[in-house]
Amino acid sequence: MAIQGFNYQEFAQNLTAQAQELVPQDFADNEKQYVVNTLLNFSALAGEALYNDKDSNFNAEQAMMITQIIAEWAFHKSVDLIRSKIPQEFWDPVMQKIAFTIFEIAKQTFKQGLPQDQILQLIEHHVKKTYLSALSELKEKGFISETLLEQASKQSNIDAMMQQMNEEQSSSGQEVPQPTQQKSDSTVPTSSEPVQGGSSPKIMKLATVALLFQRMKQEKVQTLLDKFSPEDASTVIKYMGMPDLGSRVSVSTAIKCLNEIRTNLPKPQELSPGKIVAKIQKVTSGIDRQQLETMLKSERMKVKRLVFNALEGEFYEVAPKVANIIATHIQDSV
């Protein structure tokens, strides 16, 4: 059943008209047109898909919210791609991955009835993750350099716009509004509440993790957050947004939480030569020597020696960590 009151074509056109005034003036005409067209195409496609979705039962307000989120991120990330100097032939593939991610995450979170602030934080997390992943894929395939990857990773038009707005409001003497947090989770304190006392042990650990993440590079944080559940990742992101988090978690509490986290971490595997040899023998047990030689044809000589020595029950002298990586790579390849 179509969504009553949701004219997705008209809505996409309205969003596009608003965005035209915000496109950076230093862009070339074709770059400006790309930003506008990308926003229009993605918002129209998302709107149409929602309009024809018979299973999700979204109302007009929810459909417009999802479409607007996609439009806004399409604007910001297309600007980021252009400013990063990524070759134009790769703009569409990157943007398509971002739009698909937003659409799926938005649908899931709206179906779950999550609070709006939590939805927006989760989407932002996944947008950044997808953007960095797409750039890393271009680097791995040799399409862009490490320098260009680093340059593109640092682009954030949404942060630049927020900073500009704050500066303009501050210079005009207006009070700069601060982000508010909805009471979506009673265990997550607002910016006026201390992260101490009645907070649960789990919340204290997440706050301590957020303290560490505030001091780490964004790319590393994104990778680590992927290992958290969506709920815990959202909580950590909220704490990371507190500029005074360090003053809310006492040193003794942070140390206690870190010790507990370290105690519960899985013990690193012992990388003895014997275990690595046994691992290689196990993963290659179903492959004859000629097949193995073909598979390793493009590998470096040390890799070949490690593998073929292991077949004879001997360990080729390389660093155990490196040998384990090679063994795992072979395991994933067969």
Side-chain angles (χ1 to χ4, degrees):
M1 181 178 177
I3 302 175
Q4 292 184 346
F6 180 48
N7 186 332
Y8 64 87
Q9 293 176 326
E10 181 180 333
F11 188 58
Q13 291 286 354
N14 290 338
L15 292 172
T16 304
Q18 296 174 37
Q20 285 178 319
E21 301 178 3
L22 300 174
V23 178
Q25 293 303 305
D26 60 315
F27 278 11
D29 289 342
N30 68 306
E31 294 172 336
K32 293 178 182 178
Q33 199 60 47
Y34 180 82
V35 174
V36 172
N37 288 344
T38 300
L39 186 152
L40 175 61
N41 291 339
F42 286 167
S43 55
L45 287 171
E48 182 179 9
L50 293 167
Y51 185 80
N52 295 319
D53 189 339
K54 299 178 181 179
D55 301 321
S56 299
N57 295 319
F58 291 130
N59 58 35
E61 182 181 356
Q62 291 171 320
M64 286 190 286
M65 182 66 179
I66 294 173
T67 303
Q68 183 171 346
I69 291 171
I70 289 177
E72 290 178 354
W73 278 112
F75 176 88
H76 291 303
K77 298 318 289 182
S78 59
V79 169
D80 288 345
L81 280 174
I82 293 171
R83 289 208 182 282
S84 69
K85 305 303 180 184
I86 293 288
Q88 186 169 353
E89 62 191 285
F90 303 119
W91 294 353
D92 279 349
V94 173
M95 292 305 304
Q96 287 163 6
K97 290 178 181 179
I98 290 173
F100 177 80
T101 297
I102 298 171
F103 188 71
E104 292 301 314
I105 296 298
K107 283 182 62 177
Q108 292 173 23
T109 52
F110 272 91
K111 282 181 181 179
Q112 294 169 11
L114 297 182
Q116 181 176 314
D117 66 332
Q118 192 171 355
I119 290 174
L120 296 177
Q121 288 169 345
L122 284 171
I123 289 174
E124 181 176 4
H125 162 65
H126 284 283
V127 167
K128 291 179 178 178
K129 169 192 168 185
T130 304
Y131 178 67
L132 292 174
S133 175
L135 295 178
S136 297
E137 185 178 339
L138 292 177
K139 164 63 174 58
E140 290 169 4
K141 291 181 177 179
F143 295 137
I144 63 174
S145 65
E146 181 70 36
T147 301
L148 190 53
L149 169 62
E150 184 176 351
Q151 178 178 311
S153 300
K154 294 178 180 178
Q155 295 296 325
S156 181
N157 186 65
I158 188 171
D159 291 339
M161 287 186 67
M162 288 300 297
Q163 182 177 352
Q164 182 181 354
M165 288 172 60
N166 288 342
E167 290 174 353
E168 289 176 353
Q169 288 176 314
S170 297
S171 62
S172 63
Q174 298 179 19
E175 183 179 352
V176 180
Q178 297 299 320
T180 58
Q181 290 191 11
Q182 298 179 14
K183 287 286 185 175
S184 58
D185 185 342
S186 59
T187 61
V188 180
T190 65
S191 57
S192 61
E193 297 172 343
V195 189
Q196 300 287 352
S199 299
S200 70
K202 178 179 179 181
I203 289 297
M204 292 307 306
K205 290 177 184 176
L206 293 176
T208 302
V209 169
L211 267 177
L212 292 176
F213 284 3
Q214 284 180 337
R215 293 160 174 78
M216 294 170 61
K217 290 185 177 181
Q218 183 64 37
E219 305 90 89
K220 184 65 173 177
V221 170
Q222 293 293 338
T223 301
L224 293 173
L225 278 175
D226 292 341
K227 303 181 185 301
F228 288 70
S229 69
E231 294 78 11
D232 288 348
S234 177
T235 301
V236 172
I237 291 169
K238 287 182 180 180
Y239 281 127
M240 288 176 64
M242 292 185 182
D244 58 346
L245 180 61
S247 64
R248 299 178 184 279
V249 180
S250 68
V251 174
S252 60
T253 299
I255 293 174
K256 179 182 177 182
C257 289
L258 289 174
N259 285 333
E260 290 179 2
I261 292 171
R262 183 176 62 182
T263 301
N264 293 322
L265 287 175
K267 300 298 181 182
Q269 293 182 327
E270 182 184 351
L271 300 176
S272 67
K275 287 187 176 181
I276 293 173
V277 167
K279 182 176 181 179
I280 294 174
Q281 289 179 338
K282 182 179 179 180
V283 300
T284 59
S285 60
I287 308 174
D288 62 41
R289 191 177 184 91
Q290 186 174 358
Q291 288 178 312
L292 195 57
E293 288 177 351
T294 302
M295 188 173 71
L296 298 175
K297 184 177 180 180
S298 60
E299 297 290 348
R300 288 169 293 179
M301 183 56 66
K302 287 186 177 181
V303 174
K304 296 177 182 178
R305 287 179 178 173
L306 174 68
V307 174
F308 291 117
N309 279 19
L311 296 181
E312 303 297 329
E314 298 177 359
F315 180 72
Y316 181 69
E317 291 299 329
V318 297
K321 286 186 177 181
V322 174
N324 189 55
I325 292 173
I326 294 172
T328 303
H329 170 68
I330 296 171
Q331 185 178 31
D332 294 338
S333 301
V334 298

